[in-house]
Amino acid sequence: MIPAAFSYSRPRSLDEAFALLAEHGSEAKLVAGGHSLLPMMKLRLATPSMLIDISRISGLDAIEASGDTIKIGALTTHAAIASDVNVRKLVPALAEAASQIGDTQVRNRGTIGGACAHGDPASDYPAIALALEATLTTQSRGGTKTIAASNFFQGLFETALTADAVLTEIAFRAAPHSAYAKFPHPASHFAVVGACANLSLQGGKISQARIAITGVGDHAYRAGTVEKALVGVDPKDATAVKAACVDAGAEIEPRSDVFASGHYRAAMAEVYAARAVEAAAKR
Ligand SMILES: Cc1cc2nc3c(=O)[nH]c(=O)nc-3n(C[C@H](O)[C@H](O)[C@H](O)COP(=O)(O)OP(=O)(O)OC[C@H]3O[C@@H](n4cnc5c(N)ncnc54)[C@H](O)[C@@H]3O)c2cc1C
C-alpha cells in the first residue's frame, strides 16, 4: 500500500500545468482531490513519476447559474455541489448524486472533474451527465474543446480527454424533473447500479425521457429502448413505468464482480430506472 516514488509539482495557473504536461508527457498525472488516483497509486495500478497538483489553480471551482444553464468548475467538490442552492433547484439529480458519493471525507476532497476524467464504471456523475446531456470543456495548449457527454465516456477508465488537456468545466441545462436512484455498494458507496431520469411532462404523461445507467457496464450509457417505451406513459402508473423500464440493463454487456453478477446488475437496472422515473415525475 505504498506508492512508487514520484515527484510533485503544484502549478498556480493552467498555463503552468500545460507546460508541466508537455515536459513530462505520459510520465505525468494530474491530481485534483486525489480520491481515485491515490488509491490506485497505493495499489501500484498507477505509477506516475510526476504528479501535477491542479487543486490550487484558481477559477476552476465556481458554480455559475445563468438562465437555464449551470456551469460547474472541474475542481468543485462533491460536497459543494450537493449543498449548492442553484444545483438543487435547477438540476436536482446532480445534487442527489453528489450527496450520495462515498463518505464525508470523499465528498469534501473529491471533485466533479476528477470523477469525470477518471472514467470509473461505477462513478455516479456519468449517468447524470448523459441523462442531462451535459457538455464537458477541456483546455490544452491547443485550445478549448467542448465535448458532449455522449462522446466523453468511452469505456472502462477511458474518456475523450487527451493527455495534454485539463478538464475545466461541466455545463448542465436545467432539468427540474430529474432524479437519481442508486444501489450503493455497502462498503464504498460506489454505484452497483445508478439510474438517472430526466423527464419532460405534458398533460400528466411523459412526453420525453432521457434515462442513463451507471455501474452496470464498462461505462455509463443511455437506455434508448426504455426512453422510447416511456413516451406517453403516466408516471403515476407504476406497472406501466416498470414495464417500460424492462430493458434498462439490456443495452450493454453487464460486468460481474465478487459483489454482484452481471445478470443481477442488469435486473437492478430495471428496478432503479423505474425508481428514478417515479421520483423525477414527482418533482
Ligand atoms: C472510499 C471512496 C468512496 C468513493 N465512493 C464513490 C461513490 O460513491 N461514487 C463515485 O462516483 N465516486 C466515488 N469515489 C470516487 C471519488 O468520487 C473521487 O473523488 C473521484 O472519482 C475522483 O475525483 P478526484 O478529484 O479525487 O480525482 P483524482 O483522484 O485527483 O484524479 C482522478 C483521475 O482524474 C484525473 N484528473 C483529475 N482532475 C482532472 C482534470 N480537471 N482534468 C483532467 N484530468 C483530471 C487524474 O489525473 C486522475 O487520472 C469514492 C472514492 C473513495 C476513495
Side-chain angles (χ1 to χ4, degrees):
M1 295 294 277
I2 297 182
F6 59 88
S7 303
Y8 174 86
S9 189
R10 199 162 68 199
R12 293 279 169 181
S13 68
L14 277 174
D15 282 339
E16 269 182 52
F18 300 150
L20 285 160
L21 283 171
E23 185 185 340
H24 295 279
S26 60
E27 293 296 303
K29 268 279 184 200
L30 299 174
V31 63
H35 272 63
S36 288
L37 182 58
L38 296 192
M40 290 189 79
M41 289 172 64
K42 284 180 166 182
L43 294 168
R44 302 213 179 190
L45 295 171
T47 53
S49 63
M50 166 57 81
L51 273 195
I52 304 173
D53 181 351
I54 57 172
S55 65
R56 309 282 173 93
I57 297 180
S58 62
L60 293 183
D61 63 352
I63 299 180
E64 285 172 16
S66 150
D68 73 343
T69 302
I70 188 152
K71 293 180 177 175
I72 302 189
L75 291 179
T76 311
T77 61
H78 312 318
I81 292 169
S83 61
D84 185 83
V85 177
N86 287 318
V87 175
R88 292 164 82 109
K89 191 171 79 184
L90 294 174
V91 278
L94 179 62
E96 216 160 27
S99 71
Q100 294 178 59
I101 289 178
D103 52 28
T104 306
Q105 189 183 0
V106 173
R107 291 194 291 276
N108 279 327
R109 295 295 304 173
T111 67
I112 187 169
C116 291
H118 195 52
D120 192 307
S123 175
D124 295 294
Y125 290 130
I128 315 299
L130 285 172
L132 273 55
E133 297 178 330
T135 55
L136 297 99
T137 300
T138 68
Q139 288 186 42
S140 69
R141 276 184 165 169
T144 299
K145 275 192 210 162
T146 299
I147 305 167
S150 53
N151 294 325
F152 189 84
F153 302 104
Q154 297 185 341
L156 196 66
F157 299 105
E158 217 184 294
T159 70
L161 255 178
T162 50
D164 60 344
V166 178
L167 177 59
T168 52
E169 184 180 274
I170 299 107
F172 297 85
R173 280 222 309 278
H177 295 296
S178 67
Y180 183 60
K182 171 176 172 177
F183 173 177
H185 187 284
S188 68
H189 293 181
F190 270 106
V192 176
V193 174
C196 181
N198 176 17
L199 305 179
S200 304
L201 300 166
Q202 250 174 16
K205 301 253 170 85
I206 297 170
S207 56
Q208 193 176 15
R210 300 170 194 84
I211 309 294
I213 311 287
T214 190
V216 175
D218 281 355
H219 57 88
Y221 60 96
R222 285 270 293 267
T225 313
V226 173
E227 292 179 350
K228 285 192 197 104
L230 281 166
V231 173
V233 166
D234 176 350
K236 290 201 202 81
D237 181 344
T239 309
V241 170
K242 263 190 197 154
C245 290
V246 78
D247 281 331
E251 304 201 19
I252 201 160
E253 183 68 34
R255 287 181 309 118
S256 292
D257 59 22
V258 286
F259 183 73
S261 68
H263 182 71
Y264 183 68
R265 280 191 157 84
M268 286 303 102
E270 297 173 34
V271 173
Y272 282 82
R275 287 185 189 177
V277 168
E278 283 165 7
K282 282 186 189 143
R283 295 224 148 103

